[in-house]
Amino acid sequence: NAGVTQTPKFQVLKTGQSMTLQCAQDMNHEYMSWYRQDPGMGLRLIHYSVGAGITDQGEVPNGYNVSRSTTEDFPLRLLSAAPSQTSVYFCASSNGLAGGNEQFFGPGTRLTVL
Amino acid sequence: GDSVTQMEGPVTLSEEAFLTINCTYTATGYPSLFWYVQYPGEGLQLLLKATKADDKGSNKGFEATYRKETTSFHLEKGSVQVSDSAVYFCALSDYNTNAGKSTFGDGTTLTVKP
């Protein structure tokens, strides 16, 4: 199993550009999430999904869109990039079983917005 | 809402020293508790977990006990190695109230010197 994969690993954008960060998992997990990691602020939840066709907002959703058309894929779209979106983005999946909800993380996408 | 507070870093220790990283949580339900580790340039990976009160999670010499009475999940290791240098995140997840989502602390950076 590849686990959780993310592309690209690095990206530089200019203010106002749009792009999509790709995330895929091959573990048949129901739950998928997007987090951003900023120095001294831990991980903050952007959007999450509890299954194909179902998404919801997290703590910091503004400026981002998601969709979940399949169990495997959960892309994150930046609509109009801003310097405040410079961050490291992590996708994660989990099986959501009661008694434990371990998150499996991808390697991250490092985004710089100029 | 749920929250996690962990010991501020950075923490610098000599090899073979004893490690404690404090973590306390606030939750309305009965969450599972986790410690994740992040090595430089990588995503987070599960270090250990505990799913109910008084459970002890352990892995690679690290231990943490789920203390409901003090709402704590402190990470300990008796003798750290240089290879333990990483960022450590305490997290909680309550499948019954927030399936698929986790709440993370801000992370504690550990540096172990030879």
Side-chain angles (χ1 to χ4, degrees):
Chain A
N1 284 355
V4 179
T5 58
Q6 291 183 239
T7 57
K9 287 186 185 278
F10 300 94
Q11 183 69 49
V12 178
L13 293 178
K14 294 182 179 178
T15 297
Q17 287 184 315
S18 62
M19 78 160 295
T20 299
L21 280 63
Q22 302 292 343
C23 174
Q25 54 93 7
D26 61 359
M27 297 173 283
N28 202 33
H29 285 170
E30 280 186 274
Y31 301 95
M32 297 186 74
S33 304
W34 275 103
Y35 297 89
R36 59 178 288 173
Q37 182 179 27
D38 302 293
M41 301 185 75
L43 276 78
R44 292 184 290 170
L45 182 66
I46 304 171
H47 286 285
Y48 67 101
S49 170
V50 299
I54 307 170
T55 64
D56 205 349
Q57 296 181 350
E59 184 184 353
V60 288
N62 292 341
Y64 308 94
N65 272 358
V66 292
S67 59
R68 184 102 179 266
S69 56
T70 66
T71 300
E72 294 78 19
D73 300 300
F74 191 44
L76 178 72
R77 281 182 290 277
L78 278 70
L79 309 173
S80 177
S84 60
Q85 293 179 304
T86 293
S87 187
V88 182
Y89 292 84
F90 289 101
C91 180
S93 72
S94 68
N95 60 19
L97 289 173
N101 192 25
E102 174 188 351
Q103 301 270 341
F104 292 80
F105 284 85
T109 293
R110 286 148 184 80
L111 175 68
T112 301
V113 182
L114 302 175
Chain B
D2 297 346
S3 66
V4 175
T5 302
Q6 62 180 102
M7 173 177 163
E8 288 190 20
V11 175
T12 302
L13 295 174
S14 298
E15 206 164 23
E16 300 184 0
F18 184 85
L19 169 71
T20 299
I21 301 178
N22 290 338
C23 172
T24 58
Y25 68 91
T26 302
T28 53
Y30 301 94
S32 296
L33 302 175
F34 305 84
W35 278 100
Y36 291 88
V37 60
Q38 183 182 32
Y39 298 104
E42 299 183 8
L44 281 71
Q45 56 186 277
L46 181 70
L47 179 61
L48 53 84
K49 70 178 181 184
T51 58
K52 62 183 187 296
D54 299 324
D55 270 2
K56 177 187 284 188
S58 61
N59 186 26
K60 300 181 181 179
F62 291 89
E63 293 183 339
T65 301
Y66 190 162
R67 301 285 187 202
K68 191 171 184 296
E69 64 275 14
T70 55
T71 62
S72 65
F73 193 54
H74 304 320
L75 182 68
E76 297 183 336
K77 186 174 186 183
S79 176
V80 293
Q81 305 300 312
V82 172
S83 57
D84 294 326
S85 298
V87 183
Y88 292 83
F89 291 91
C90 185
L92 67 80
S93 181
D94 189 338
Y95 177 76
N96 292 316
T97 59
N98 285 299
K101 288 166 46 177
S102 295
T103 301
F104 291 84
D106 289 345
T108 301
T109 301
L110 170 66
T111 301
V112 180
K113 297 190 173 180

